[in-house]
PDB file of all heavy atoms in Angstrom:
ATOM      1  N   PHE D  99       4.375 -12.990  -3.867  1.00  0.00           N
ATOM      2  CA  PHE D  99       5.771 -13.085  -4.324  1.00  0.00           C
ATOM      3  C   PHE D  99       6.167 -12.046  -5.326  1.00  0.00           C
ATOM      4  O   PHE D  99       5.356 -11.560  -6.006  1.00  0.00           O
ATOM      5  CB  PHE D  99       6.069 -14.482  -4.937  1.00  0.00           C
ATOM      6  CG  PHE D  99       5.731 -15.625  -4.078  1.00  0.00           C
ATOM      7  CD1 PHE D  99       4.651 -16.511  -4.366  1.00  0.00           C
ATOM      8  CD2 PHE D  99       6.421 -15.858  -2.901  1.00  0.00           C
ATOM      9  CE1 PHE D  99       4.374 -17.593  -3.519  1.00  0.00           C
ATOM     10  CE2 PHE D  99       6.125 -16.915  -2.046  1.00  0.00           C
ATOM     11  CZ  PHE D  99       5.087 -17.755  -2.346  1.00  0.00           C
ATOM     12  N   THR D 100       7.430 -11.681  -5.225  1.00  0.00           N
ATOM     13  CA  THR D 100       7.963 -10.670  -6.155  1.00  0.00           C
ATOM     14  C   THR D 100       9.304 -11.279  -6.641  1.00  0.00           C
ATOM     15  O   THR D 100      10.047 -11.888  -5.916  1.00  0.00           O
ATOM     16  CB  THR D 100       8.344  -9.346  -5.424  1.00  0.00           C
ATOM     17  OG1 THR D 100       7.092  -8.741  -4.974  1.00  0.00           O
ATOM     18  CG2 THR D 100       9.014  -8.381  -6.327  1.00  0.00           C
ATOM     19  N   ILE D 101       9.561 -11.042  -7.941  1.00  0.00           N
ATOM     20  CA  ILE D 101      10.830 -11.544  -8.486  1.00  0.00           C
ATOM     21  C   ILE D 101      11.503 -10.216  -9.121  1.00  0.00           C
ATOM     22  O   ILE D 101      10.898  -9.513  -9.720  1.00  0.00           O
ATOM     23  CB  ILE D 101      10.591 -12.528  -9.695  1.00  0.00           C
ATOM     24  CG1 ILE D 101      10.073 -13.830  -9.054  1.00  0.00           C
ATOM     25  CG2 ILE D 101      11.938 -12.764 -10.407  1.00  0.00           C
ATOM     26  CD1 ILE D 101       9.795 -14.967 -10.075  1.00  0.00           C
ATOM     27  N   ILE D 102      12.833 -10.177  -8.712  1.00  0.00           N
ATOM     28  CA  ILE D 102      13.610  -9.054  -9.336  1.00  0.00           C
ATOM     29  C   ILE D 102      14.598  -9.647 -10.351  1.00  0.00           C
ATOM     30  O   ILE D 102      15.627 -10.282 -10.030  1.00  0.00           O
ATOM     31  CB  ILE D 102      14.411  -8.339  -8.170  1.00  0.00           C
ATOM     32  CG1 ILE D 102      13.502  -7.791  -7.247  1.00  0.00           C
ATOM     33  CG2 ILE D 102      15.348  -7.339  -8.745  1.00  0.00           C
ATOM     34  CD1 ILE D 102      14.163  -7.054  -6.042  1.00  0.00           C
ATOM     35  N   PRO D 103      14.192  -9.565 -11.622  1.00  0.00           N
ATOM     36  CA  PRO D 103      14.994 -10.204 -12.682  1.00  0.00           C
ATOM     37  C   PRO D 103      16.465  -9.716 -12.585  1.00  0.00           C
ATOM     38  O   PRO D 103      17.405 -10.520 -12.817  1.00  0.00           O
ATOM     39  CB  PRO D 103      14.389  -9.767 -14.054  1.00  0.00           C
ATOM     40  CG  PRO D 103      12.891  -9.498 -13.627  1.00  0.00           C
ATOM     41  CD  PRO D 103      12.980  -8.938 -12.238  1.00  0.00           C
ATOM     42  N   SER D 104      16.618  -8.439 -12.422  1.00  0.00           N
ATOM     43  CA  SER D 104      17.986  -7.890 -12.142  1.00  0.00           C
ATOM     44  C   SER D 104      17.883  -6.588 -11.438  1.00  0.00           C
ATOM     45  O   SER D 104      16.822  -5.958 -11.445  1.00  0.00           O
ATOM     46  CB  SER D 104      18.802  -7.768 -13.465  1.00  0.00           C
ATOM     47  OG  SER D 104      18.643  -6.541 -13.943  1.00  0.00           O
ATOM     48  N   PHE D 131      18.965 -12.783 -13.005  1.00  0.00           N
ATOM     49  CA  PHE D 131      18.454 -14.160 -12.870  1.00  0.00           C
ATOM     50  C   PHE D 131      18.887 -15.084 -13.996  1.00  0.00           C
ATOM     51  O   PHE D 131      18.972 -14.588 -15.209  1.00  0.00           O
ATOM     52  CB  PHE D 131      16.854 -14.133 -12.957  1.00  0.00           C
ATOM     53  CG  PHE D 131      16.334 -14.318 -11.575  1.00  0.00           C
ATOM     54  CD1 PHE D 131      15.926 -13.290 -10.709  1.00  0.00           C
ATOM     55  CD2 PHE D 131      16.092 -15.549 -11.056  1.00  0.00           C
ATOM     56  CE1 PHE D 131      15.322 -13.518  -9.490  1.00  0.00           C
ATOM     57  CE2 PHE D 131      15.453 -15.843  -9.820  1.00  0.00           C
ATOM     58  CZ  PHE D 131      15.088 -14.840  -9.016  1.00  0.00           C
ATOM     59  N   MET D 135      18.279 -20.326 -11.639  1.00  0.00           N
ATOM     60  CA  MET D 135      17.784 -19.608 -10.382  1.00  0.00           C
ATOM     61  C   MET D 135      16.300 -19.340 -10.447  1.00  0.00           C
ATOM     62  O   MET D 135      15.667 -19.400  -9.348  1.00  0.00           O
ATOM     63  CB  MET D 135      18.539 -18.232 -10.238  1.00  0.00           C
ATOM     64  CG  MET D 135      19.995 -18.342  -9.841  1.00  0.00           C
ATOM     65  SD  MET D 135      20.232 -19.199  -8.281  1.00  0.00           S
ATOM     66  CE  MET D 135      19.850 -17.828  -7.217  1.00  0.00           C
ATOM     67  N   ALA D 136      15.761 -19.145 -11.672  1.00  0.00           N
ATOM     68  CA  ALA D 136      14.347 -18.988 -11.770  1.00  0.00           C
ATOM     69  C   ALA D 136      13.632 -20.218 -11.249  1.00  0.00           C
ATOM     70  O   ALA D 136      12.686 -20.255 -10.567  1.00  0.00           O
ATOM     71  CB  ALA D 136      13.963 -18.654 -13.146  1.00  0.00           C
ATOM     72  N   ALA D 139      13.643 -20.406  -7.705  1.00  0.00           N
ATOM     73  CA  ALA D 139      12.805 -19.452  -7.037  1.00  0.00           C
ATOM     74  C   ALA D 139      11.388 -20.060  -7.032  1.00  0.00           C
ATOM     75  O   ALA D 139      10.612 -20.007  -6.028  1.00  0.00           O
ATOM     76  CB  ALA D 139      12.765 -18.122  -7.786  1.00  0.00           C
ATOM     77  N   PHE D 140      10.923 -20.609  -8.100  1.00  0.00           N
ATOM     78  CA  PHE D 140       9.591 -21.190  -8.186  1.00  0.00           C
ATOM     79  C   PHE D 140       9.500 -22.400  -7.193  1.00  0.00           C
ATOM     80  O   PHE D 140       8.501 -22.673  -6.548  1.00  0.00           O
ATOM     81  CB  PHE D 140       9.229 -21.648  -9.626  1.00  0.00           C
ATOM     82  CG  PHE D 140       8.864 -20.532 -10.466  1.00  0.00           C
ATOM     83  CD1 PHE D 140       9.577 -20.127 -11.599  1.00  0.00           C
ATOM     84  CD2 PHE D 140       7.719 -19.706 -10.165  1.00  0.00           C
ATOM     85  CE1 PHE D 140       9.198 -19.052 -12.362  1.00  0.00           C
ATOM     86  CE2 PHE D 140       7.311 -18.673 -10.988  1.00  0.00           C
ATOM     87  CZ  PHE D 140       8.093 -18.321 -12.041  1.00  0.00           C
ATOM     88  N   MET D 143       9.017 -21.026  -3.792  1.00  0.00           N
ATOM     89  CA  MET D 143       7.559 -20.583  -3.524  1.00  0.00           C
ATOM     90  C   MET D 143       6.798 -21.792  -3.074  1.00  0.00           C
ATOM     91  O   MET D 143       5.968 -21.646  -2.137  1.00  0.00           O
ATOM     92  CB  MET D 143       7.047 -20.033  -4.810  1.00  0.00           C
ATOM     93  CG  MET D 143       7.607 -18.704  -5.227  1.00  0.00           C
ATOM     94  SD  MET D 143       6.932 -18.141  -6.818  1.00  0.00           S
ATOM     95  CE  MET D 143       8.211 -16.969  -7.304  1.00  0.00           C
ATOM     96  N   ILE D 157       2.413 -12.520  -9.500  1.00  0.00           N
ATOM     97  CA  ILE D 157       3.732 -12.282  -9.137  1.00  0.00           C
ATOM     98  C   ILE D 157       4.100 -10.889  -9.650  1.00  0.00           C
ATOM     99  O   ILE D 157       3.816 -10.650 -10.739  1.00  0.00           O
ATOM    100  CB  ILE D 157       4.711 -13.350  -9.677  1.00  0.00           C
ATOM    101  CG1 ILE D 157       4.371 -14.646  -8.993  1.00  0.00           C
ATOM    102  CG2 ILE D 157       6.182 -12.971  -9.442  1.00  0.00           C
ATOM    103  CD1 ILE D 157       5.171 -15.869  -9.546  1.00  0.00           C
ATOM    104  N   LEU D 158       4.828 -10.074  -8.786  1.00  0.00           N
ATOM    105  CA  LEU D 158       5.229  -8.750  -9.228  1.00  0.00           C
ATOM    106  C   LEU D 158       6.661  -8.849  -9.694  1.00  0.00           C
ATOM    107  O   LEU D 158       7.525  -9.474  -9.156  1.00  0.00           O
ATOM    108  CB  LEU D 158       5.193  -7.871  -7.987  1.00  0.00           C
ATOM    109  CG  LEU D 158       5.769  -6.485  -8.197  1.00  0.00           C
ATOM    110  CD1 LEU D 158       4.910  -5.610  -9.175  1.00  0.00           C
ATOM    111  CD2 LEU D 158       5.951  -5.723  -6.859  1.00  0.00           C
ATOM    112  N   LEU D 159       6.954  -8.255 -10.857  1.00  0.00           N
ATOM    113  CA  LEU D 159       8.252  -8.108 -11.389  1.00  0.00           C
ATOM    114  C   LEU D 159       8.751  -6.730 -11.028  1.00  0.00           C
ATOM    115  O   LEU D 159       8.026  -5.709 -11.297  1.00  0.00           O
ATOM    116  CB  LEU D 159       8.314  -8.295 -12.939  1.00  0.00           C
ATOM    117  CG  LEU D 159       7.875  -9.647 -13.496  1.00  0.00           C
ATOM    118  CD1 LEU D 159       7.865  -9.632 -14.981  1.00  0.00           C
ATOM    119  CD2 LEU D 159       8.791 -10.750 -12.935  1.00  0.00           C
ATOM    120  N   TYR D 160       9.923  -6.670 -10.394  1.00  0.00           N
ATOM    121  CA  TYR D 160      10.369  -5.425  -9.849  1.00  0.00           C
ATOM    122  C   TYR D 160      11.887  -5.261 -10.116  1.00  0.00           C
ATOM    123  O   TYR D 160      12.483  -6.252 -10.550  1.00  0.00           O
ATOM    124  CB  TYR D 160      10.096  -5.305  -8.401  1.00  0.00           C
ATOM    125  CG  TYR D 160      10.336  -4.021  -7.707  1.00  0.00           C
ATOM    126  CD1 TYR D 160       9.502  -2.947  -7.956  1.00  0.00           C
ATOM    127  CD2 TYR D 160      11.373  -3.843  -6.765  1.00  0.00           C
ATOM    128  CE1 TYR D 160       9.680  -1.730  -7.296  1.00  0.00           C
ATOM    129  CE2 TYR D 160      11.592  -2.644  -6.102  1.00  0.00           C
ATOM    130  CZ  TYR D 160      10.795  -1.599  -6.383  1.00  0.00           C
ATOM    131  OH  TYR D 160      10.954  -0.343  -5.743  1.00  0.00           O
ATOM    132  N   GLY D 161      12.494  -4.129  -9.906  1.00  0.00           N
ATOM    133  CA  GLY D 161      13.926  -4.042 -10.248  1.00  0.00           C
ATOM    134  C   GLY D 161      14.620  -3.175  -9.268  1.00  0.00           C
ATOM    135  O   GLY D 161      14.220  -3.037  -8.158  1.00  0.00           O
ATOM    136  N   PRO D 164      12.669  -4.024 -14.415  1.00  0.00           N
ATOM    137  CA  PRO D 164      12.447  -5.504 -14.687  1.00  0.00           C
ATOM    138  C   PRO D 164      12.235  -5.805 -16.187  1.00  0.00           C
ATOM    139  O   PRO D 164      12.442  -6.913 -16.603  1.00  0.00           O
ATOM    140  CB  PRO D 164      11.071  -5.748 -13.922  1.00  0.00           C
ATOM    141  CG  PRO D 164      10.458  -4.397 -13.780  1.00  0.00           C
ATOM    142  CD  PRO D 164      11.454  -3.418 -13.772  1.00  0.00           C
ATOM    143  N   ILE D 172      15.363 -14.044 -20.193  1.00  0.00           N
ATOM    144  CA  ILE D 172      15.115 -14.588 -18.897  1.00  0.00           C
ATOM    145  C   ILE D 172      13.742 -14.163 -18.353  1.00  0.00           C
ATOM    146  O   ILE D 172      13.010 -14.952 -17.669  1.00  0.00           O
ATOM    147  CB  ILE D 172      16.240 -14.209 -17.897  1.00  0.00           C
ATOM    148  CG1 ILE D 172      16.000 -14.914 -16.520  1.00  0.00           C
ATOM    149  CG2 ILE D 172      16.373 -12.718 -17.644  1.00  0.00           C
ATOM    150  CD1 ILE D 172      15.989 -16.460 -16.582  1.00  0.00           C
ATOM    151  N   VAL D 173      13.397 -12.973 -18.655  1.00  0.00           N
ATOM    152  CA  VAL D 173      12.034 -12.543 -18.229  1.00  0.00           C
ATOM    153  C   VAL D 173      10.903 -13.373 -18.932  1.00  0.00           C
ATOM    154  O   VAL D 173       9.944 -13.793 -18.252  1.00  0.00           O
ATOM    155  CB  VAL D 173      11.782 -10.984 -18.518  1.00  0.00           C
ATOM    156  CG1 VAL D 173      10.347 -10.599 -18.258  1.00  0.00           C
ATOM    157  CG2 VAL D 173      12.689 -10.085 -17.762  1.00  0.00           C
ATOM    158  N   ILE D 176      10.741 -16.606 -17.136  1.00  0.00           N
ATOM    159  CA  ILE D 176      10.093 -16.549 -15.850  1.00  0.00           C
ATOM    160  C   ILE D 176       8.645 -16.486 -16.025  1.00  0.00           C
ATOM    161  O   ILE D 176       7.825 -17.179 -15.388  1.00  0.00           O
ATOM    162  CB  ILE D 176      10.620 -15.318 -15.013  1.00  0.00           C
ATOM    163  CG1 ILE D 176      12.084 -15.508 -14.636  1.00  0.00           C
ATOM    164  CG2 ILE D 176       9.752 -14.968 -13.887  1.00  0.00           C
ATOM    165  CD1 ILE D 176      12.740 -14.258 -14.094  1.00  0.00           C
ATOM    166  N   VAL D 177       8.147 -15.524 -16.987  1.00  0.00           N
ATOM    167  CA  VAL D 177       6.777 -15.394 -17.088  1.00  0.00           C
ATOM    168  C   VAL D 177       6.116 -16.653 -17.706  1.00  0.00           C
ATOM    169  O   VAL D 177       4.951 -17.031 -17.237  1.00  0.00           O
ATOM    170  CB  VAL D 177       6.441 -14.164 -18.039  1.00  0.00           C
ATOM    171  CG1 VAL D 177       4.966 -13.995 -18.383  1.00  0.00           C
ATOM    172  CG2 VAL D 177       6.889 -12.885 -17.393  1.00  0.00           C
ATOM    173  N   GLY D 180       6.042 -19.347 -14.984  1.00  0.00           N
ATOM    174  CA  GLY D 180       5.004 -18.887 -13.950  1.00  0.00           C
ATOM    175  C   GLY D 180       3.616 -19.180 -14.461  1.00  0.00           C
ATOM    176  O   GLY D 180       2.724 -19.658 -13.724  1.00  0.00           O
ATOM    177  N   TYR D 185       0.377 -18.729 -12.343  1.00  0.00           N
ATOM    178  CA  TYR D 185       0.598 -17.327 -11.970  1.00  0.00           C
ATOM    179  C   TYR D 185       0.418 -16.391 -13.146  1.00  0.00           C
ATOM    180  O   TYR D 185       0.771 -16.713 -14.346  1.00  0.00           O
ATOM    181  CB  TYR D 185       1.990 -17.091 -11.423  1.00  0.00           C
ATOM    182  CG  TYR D 185       2.352 -17.849 -10.175  1.00  0.00           C
ATOM    183  CD1 TYR D 185       3.150 -18.958 -10.192  1.00  0.00           C
ATOM    184  CD2 TYR D 185       1.906 -17.407  -8.881  1.00  0.00           C
ATOM    185  CE1 TYR D 185       3.495 -19.665  -9.028  1.00  0.00           C
ATOM    186  CE2 TYR D 185       2.239 -17.987  -7.773  1.00  0.00           C
ATOM    187  CZ  TYR D 185       2.970 -19.240  -7.832  1.00  0.00           C
ATOM    188  OH  TYR D 185       3.344 -19.876  -6.665  1.00  0.00           O
ATOM    189  N   PHE D 187       1.390 -12.114 -14.062  1.00  0.00           N
ATOM    190  CA  PHE D 187       2.523 -11.179 -13.702  1.00  0.00           C
ATOM    191  C   PHE D 187       2.089  -9.737 -13.824  1.00  0.00           C
ATOM    192  O   PHE D 187       1.282  -9.419 -14.742  1.00  0.00           O
ATOM    193  CB  PHE D 187       3.759 -11.408 -14.501  1.00  0.00           C
ATOM    194  CG  PHE D 187       4.423 -12.720 -14.077  1.00  0.00           C
ATOM    195  CD1 PHE D 187       3.932 -13.924 -14.627  1.00  0.00           C
ATOM    196  CD2 PHE D 187       5.506 -12.697 -13.258  1.00  0.00           C
ATOM    197  CE1 PHE D 187       4.544 -15.118 -14.315  1.00  0.00           C
ATOM    198  CE2 PHE D 187       6.111 -13.914 -12.888  1.00  0.00           C
ATOM    199  CZ  PHE D 187       5.622 -15.098 -13.440  1.00  0.00           C
ATOM    200  N   LYS D 188       2.518  -8.904 -12.896  1.00  0.00           N
ATOM    201  CA  LYS D 188       2.393  -7.455 -13.048  1.00  0.00           C
ATOM    202  C   LYS D 188       3.776  -6.877 -12.889  1.00  0.00           C
ATOM    203  O   LYS D 188       4.703  -7.611 -12.287  1.00  0.00           O
ATOM    204  CB  LYS D 188       1.408  -6.906 -12.062  1.00  0.00           C
ATOM    205  CG  LYS D 188       1.541  -7.292 -10.683  1.00  0.00           C
ATOM    206  CD  LYS D 188       0.408  -6.883  -9.790  1.00  0.00           C
ATOM    207  CE  LYS D 188       0.633  -7.386  -8.359  1.00  0.00           C
ATOM    208  NZ  LYS D 188      -0.324  -6.857  -7.417  1.00  0.00           N
ATOM    209  N   TYR D 362       7.312 -12.370   0.034  1.00  0.00           N
ATOM    210  CA  TYR D 362       8.710 -12.725  -0.183  1.00  0.00           C
ATOM    211  C   TYR D 362       9.203 -12.195  -1.524  1.00  0.00           C
ATOM    212  O   TYR D 362       8.502 -12.281  -2.563  1.00  0.00           O
ATOM    213  CB  TYR D 362       8.804 -14.294  -0.199  1.00  0.00           C
ATOM    214  CG  TYR D 362       8.454 -14.880   1.098  1.00  0.00           C
ATOM    215  CD1 TYR D 362       7.157 -15.327   1.420  1.00  0.00           C
ATOM    216  CD2 TYR D 362       9.379 -14.852   2.174  1.00  0.00           C
ATOM    217  CE1 TYR D 362       6.836 -15.846   2.638  1.00  0.00           C
ATOM    218  CE2 TYR D 362       9.090 -15.425   3.444  1.00  0.00           C
ATOM    219  CZ  TYR D 362       7.807 -15.870   3.660  1.00  0.00           C
ATOM    220  OH  TYR D 362       7.443 -16.307   4.894  1.00  0.00           O
ATOM    221  N   VAL D 363      10.421 -11.611  -1.503  1.00  0.00           N
ATOM    222  CA  VAL D 363      10.937 -10.974  -2.650  1.00  0.00           C
ATOM    223  C   VAL D 363      12.238 -11.718  -3.068  1.00  0.00           C
ATOM    224  O   VAL D 363      13.143 -11.899  -2.191  1.00  0.00           O
ATOM    225  CB  VAL D 363      11.367  -9.525  -2.336  1.00  0.00           C
ATOM    226  CG1 VAL D 363      11.921  -8.834  -3.665  1.00  0.00           C
ATOM    227  CG2 VAL D 363      10.067  -8.690  -1.898  1.00  0.00           C
ATOM    228  N   PHE D 364      12.264 -12.250  -4.280  1.00  0.00           N
ATOM    229  CA  PHE D 364      13.383 -13.089  -4.736  1.00  0.00           C
ATOM    230  C   PHE D 364      14.330 -12.236  -5.562  1.00  0.00           C
ATOM    231  O   PHE D 364      13.958 -11.729  -6.588  1.00  0.00           O
ATOM    232  CB  PHE D 364      12.905 -14.270  -5.588  1.00  0.00           C
ATOM    233  CG  PHE D 364      12.051 -15.220  -4.779  1.00  0.00           C
ATOM    234  CD1 PHE D 364      10.680 -14.988  -4.611  1.00  0.00           C
ATOM    235  CD2 PHE D 364      12.605 -16.338  -4.106  1.00  0.00           C
ATOM    236  CE1 PHE D 364       9.873 -15.793  -3.795  1.00  0.00           C
ATOM    237  CE2 PHE D 364      11.835 -17.221  -3.375  1.00  0.00           C
ATOM    238  CZ  PHE D 364      10.454 -16.988  -3.252  1.00  0.00           C
ATOM    239  N   GLY D 365      15.602 -12.187  -5.151  1.00  0.00           N
ATOM    240  CA  GLY D 365      16.634 -11.355  -5.778  1.00  0.00           C
ATOM    241  C   GLY D 365      17.451 -12.271  -6.657  1.00  0.00           C
ATOM    242  O   GLY D 365      17.617 -13.471  -6.388  1.00  0.00           O
ATOM    243  N   PRO D 366      18.145 -11.754  -7.738  1.00  0.00           N
ATOM    244  CA  PRO D 366      18.909 -12.529  -8.601  1.00  0.00           C
ATOM    245  C   PRO D 366      20.142 -13.151  -7.972  1.00  0.00           C
ATOM    246  O   PRO D 366      20.717 -14.107  -8.554  1.00  0.00           O
ATOM    247  CB  PRO D 366      19.303 -11.556  -9.739  1.00  0.00           C
ATOM    248  CG  PRO D 366      19.236 -10.213  -9.137  1.00  0.00           C
ATOM    249  CD  PRO D 366      18.132 -10.275  -8.080  1.00  0.00           C
ATOM    250  N   LEU D 374      10.315  -4.385  -0.545  1.00  0.00           N
ATOM    251  CA  LEU D 374      11.022  -3.879  -1.734  1.00  0.00           C
ATOM    252  C   LEU D 374      12.034  -2.789  -1.353  1.00  0.00           C
ATOM    253  O   LEU D 374      13.022  -2.522  -2.044  1.00  0.00           O
ATOM    254  CB  LEU D 374      10.025  -3.245  -2.712  1.00  0.00           C
ATOM    255  CG  LEU D 374       8.983  -4.262  -3.303  1.00  0.00           C
ATOM    256  CD1 LEU D 374       8.010  -3.477  -4.189  1.00  0.00           C
ATOM    257  CD2 LEU D 374       9.652  -5.311  -4.104  1.00  0.00           C
ATOM    258  N   PHE D 387      17.821 -18.961  -1.387  1.00  0.00           N
ATOM    259  CA  PHE D 387      17.086 -19.993  -2.073  1.00  0.00           C
ATOM    260  C   PHE D 387      18.112 -20.615  -3.188  1.00  0.00           C
ATOM    261  O   PHE D 387      17.531 -21.318  -4.084  1.00  0.00           O
ATOM    262  CB  PHE D 387      15.801 -19.495  -2.738  1.00  0.00           C
ATOM    263  CG  PHE D 387      15.973 -18.423  -3.768  1.00  0.00           C
ATOM    264  CD1 PHE D 387      16.048 -18.834  -5.180  1.00  0.00           C
ATOM    265  CD2 PHE D 387      16.162 -17.051  -3.489  1.00  0.00           C
ATOM    266  CE1 PHE D 387      16.205 -17.894  -6.158  1.00  0.00           C
ATOM    267  CE2 PHE D 387      16.258 -16.185  -4.465  1.00  0.00           C
ATOM    268  CZ  PHE D 387      16.316 -16.497  -5.803  1.00  0.00           C
TER     269      PHE D 387
END
Side-chain angles (χ1 to χ4, degrees):
F99 302 117
T100 297
I101 292 178
I102 297 182
S104 92
F131 253 95
M135 287 300 279
F140 283 115
M143 291 175 200
I157 296 177
L158 174 67
L159 297 176
Y160 189 69
I172 186 60
V173 172
I176 290 169
V177 172
Y185 295 103
F187 288 79
K188 47 191 181 173
Y362 296 96
V363 181
F364 295 84
L374 298 177
F387 67 95

